[in-house]
Amino acid sequence: MYVSLYRKYRPQTFSDMVGQSAAVGVLQESLREGRLGHAYLFSGPRGCGKTSAARLVAKSLNCLNPRDGCEPCGECENCIGIAAGEHLDVIEIDGASNRGIDNIRDLRSQVNLKPLSSKYKVYIIDEVHMLTEAAFNALLKTLEEPPANVVFLLATTEPHKVPVTIRSRCQHIPF
């Protein structure tokens, strides 16, 4: 099976990420202190590492043997499953393809379920600015009252298209 270059060579640790020291530093310190927020908005141009950083946060949160309190080991079953995109507690959603209210209603119906095999359930919504207005309104309710074991990582190239109501409930990290 063909695997594109950006997926094949995606950074597997925070130390592998190049050129994003400010964003990576904020995430590493939050993870080290155990003070990660419930929702983050990662913004920046295409190919700068927003989705890779989101996957690394998911790996770090659910890693069974984290190094230095923030680096995923890359060897445990959770790290391997997340790296392969097969982990059931890390849900990656393409906002451009799944942009309707029905898609967000499905998310809302599952968000209150406990993680299957990890400490956290992580939702990565890529290209979040593509969601419809109704979908954003449905997502807002979940962001206002998230379960304690859920983290939302929203990635976008156009943060100005994300409604202020959503942005105000996320920690914005520019890349």
Side-chain angles (χ1 to χ4, degrees), residues 63-97:
C63 181
L64 301 174
N65 309 306
R67 298 178 182 143
D68 299 328
C70 67
E71 284 284 357
C73 72
E75 298 166 357
C76 68
E77 65 183 68
N78 287 346
C79 286
I80 292 168
I82 293 168
E86 299 171 351
H87 199 280
L88 296 174
D89 292 327
V90 177
I91 299 96
E92 195 167 340
I93 300 167
D94 176 23
S97 303

Side-chain angles (χ1 to χ4, degrees), residues 25 28 42 51 56 59 70 81 87-88 93 98 128 159 164:
Q28 284 180 313
F42 296 164
T51 306
L56 287 174
K59 281 172 71 174
C70 67
H87 199 280
L88 296 174
I93 300 167
N98 303 293
V128 71
V164 175

Side-chain angles (χ1 to χ4, degrees), residues 45-148:
R46 284 184 62 214
C48 69
K50 301 177 298 290
T51 306
S52 294
R55 283 177 159 224
L56 287 174
V57 170
K59 281 172 71 174
S60 295
L61 283 171
N62 292 319
C63 181
L64 301 174
N65 309 306
R67 298 178 182 143
D68 299 328
C70 67
E71 284 284 357
C73 72
E75 298 166 357
C76 68
E77 65 183 68
N78 287 346
C79 286
I80 292 168
I82 293 168
E86 299 171 351
H87 199 280
L88 296 174
D89 292 327
V90 177
I91 299 96
E92 195 167 340
I93 300 167
D94 176 23
S97 303
N98 303 293
R99 58 188 307 246
I101 189 166
D102 292 333
N103 301 107
I104 300 301
R105 282 186 180 146
D106 289 344
L107 181 150
R108 283 184 55 196
S109 69
Q110 298 171 7
V111 78
N112 288 321
L113 301 174
K114 292 198 182 274
L116 295 171
S117 62
S118 303
K119 186 174 179 184
Y120 289 93
K121 188 182 285 190
V122 180
Y123 288 92
I124 301 170
I125 306 177
D126 205 4
E127 298 300 329
V128 71
H129 67 274
M130 298 292 287
L131 295 180
T132 64
E133 184 178 347
F136 274 124
N137 289 336
L139 181 61
L140 180 63
K141 179 70 174 167
T142 304
L143 288 178
E144 286 177 337
E145 301 169 6

Side-chain angles (χ1 to χ4, degrees), residues 129 156-164 167:
H129 67 274
T156 183
T157 55
E158 302 182 47
H160 61 279
K161 289 187 176 179
V162 177
V164 175
R167 281 186 279 160

Side-chain angles (χ1 to χ4, degrees), residues 23-37 40 57 61 69-70 171 173:
V24 167
V26 168
L27 294 170
Q28 284 180 313
E29 198 58 35
S30 297
L31 288 162
R32 247 186 229 112
E33 293 180 8
R35 301 189 67 179
L36 199 70
Y40 286 85
V57 170
L61 283 171
C70 67
Q171 182 175 345
I173 300 180

